[in-house]
Amino acid sequence: METYDAWAVRCDALGTSNADRQCHISAEIFQGETNQKVMSILLRPAAKAGSLAATITAAFGIKLSEGITLKAGNRDFRKIELLTCLPNGCLAPTEFSADEVKVLSSQQKVAVRMIVYDSGNPADFELSMKGFGAALARLAKLAARPVP
């Protein structure tokens, strides 16, 4: 695993050759007071050139029907549907287009909002984008597939 500030690059062997590996970049958000992980995001090259397939894993206790809202700059960027919960958290798979990846690359941070199940109150967090560009460039090199 290689780290680029808030982002990490990792390749997992799926077979015996370099062609049989899957690489991704990832970041995590921790709750300040308890240092509990509240969300992780894993991005890997998608089939469509320049786009990234994403798997977001959110902590338990959020309202699934409300999904996860990402805000870039001063505008809502994307609302992502939570599909199911597994033992490691609640999953929200999605794909970011090449244009969306460019927007993400231009940010210092992305605001993340989830709704707490019990209270219905918003839980707001920040996803640091520091190192995202460098991690993305490294991913493109390792995957031998261009991403923006």
Side-chain angles (χ1 to χ4, degrees), residues 39 56 58-59 61-70 78-84 90-93 112-117 121-125:
M39 190 187 98
I56 297 173
I62 61 173
K63 199 169 189 178
L64 294 179
S65 61
E66 294 294 325
I68 297 171
T69 302
L70 303 180
R78 177 72 97 74
K79 185 162 184 164
I80 302 168
E81 179 183 10
L82 285 154
L83 293 184
T84 190
C90 300
L91 302 180
V112 178
R113 174 168 278 186
M114 298 177 260
I115 304 299
V116 178
Y117 178 77
N121 293 327
D124 295 317
F125 303 97

Side-chain angles (χ1 to χ4, degrees), residues 43 45 61 82 107 140:
L43 302 167
L82 285 154
Q107 303 299 305

Side-chain angles (χ1 to χ4, degrees), residues 36-87:
Q36 177 184 353
K37 183 167 42 171
V38 294
M39 190 187 98
S40 64
I41 182 167
L42 184 144
L43 302 167
R44 63 193 175 288
K48 189 172 182 183
S51 63
L52 293 172
T55 302
I56 297 173
T57 306
F60 297 111
I62 61 173
K63 199 169 189 178
L64 294 179
S65 61
E66 294 294 325
I68 297 171
T69 302
L70 303 180
K71 190 174 191 172
N74 291 327
R75 67 177 186 91
D76 285 349
F77 175 68
R78 177 72 97 74
K79 185 162 184 164
I80 302 168
E81 179 183 10
L82 285 154
L83 293 184
T84 190
C85 294
L86 298 174

Side-chain angles (χ1 to χ4, degrees), residues 120-144:
N121 293 327
D124 295 317
F125 303 97
E126 287 184 354
L127 175 63
S128 174
M129 299 307 288
K130 191 173 182 183
F132 179 77
L136 191 60
R138 181 66 173 145
L139 176 66
K141 186 175 182 180
L142 290 168

